Amino acid sequence: MSALFISDIHLSQGRPDMTAALVRFLAEEAPGADALYVLGDLFEFWIGDDDPNPLHREVADAFLALSKQNVPVYFIHGNRDFLLGRQFARRAGMTLLGDPCVIELYGERVLLSHGDLLCTRDEGYQKFRRITQQKWLRWLFLRLPLARRQAIAHKMRGQSQMENAHKSQTIMDVTPEAVDEMLRRHGCRLMIHGHTHRPAIHDFPLDGRPARRIVLGDWFEQGSVLVCTPAGQRLETRTLG
């Protein structure tokens, strides 16, 4: 018995090695799992379910093949693919979850999130996030011509890379107080998230009792997989080759 968690793969046509590693993982390892959870940033960017990018079809087919083997696949949006919609989810056999989301895992309440909500010290990003969460703005963007959406996405990626290069690592990491508050609000003592690309298992006290925060890694240099069983949790790596 095991549930698998991944995030921050950042798939793009420029990194076929990451795509191949994910497809191999879905075909060879994930079929034995009780469930697979993808906690955001599956893609480097997403401009709409109508994008005919062949990479999207390849990835959707790989996830659908897994779901047809009776492995539930769940997806939480990331800050890169927050526009991924129901059309792609149906094509991939995925179930979309909110952020944050509480699941029952082997008798324990577990809080799941992409993780960007926890980076409250990055005030500029949090303002940007609140703007992009507005439904009317998303509706408007998705009705722009595909080429226009592609141009906007590339421009925003460039701006984000420039801004992040000048931010301190502390600002871009989660705020401990935000972690505590979210755990308390949802009545959980175990949190799993991605976004920061800093894989680790953090044990800490919360209101006098043990709590745990597990951070998933990215797939830039090696795959990062969290394996959860009734006996506990362990972070593992996978080769991209």
Side-chain angles (χ1 to χ4, degrees), residues 3 21 25 36 41 56 72 102 171 177 179:
F25 169 78
L36 172 64
D41 284 0
H56 300 169
V102 177
I171 288 177
E177 293 79 7
V179 172

Side-chain angles (χ1 to χ4, degrees), residues 44 143 155 175:
E44 175 66 9
R143 277 150 185 80
K155 182 178 180 180
T175 306

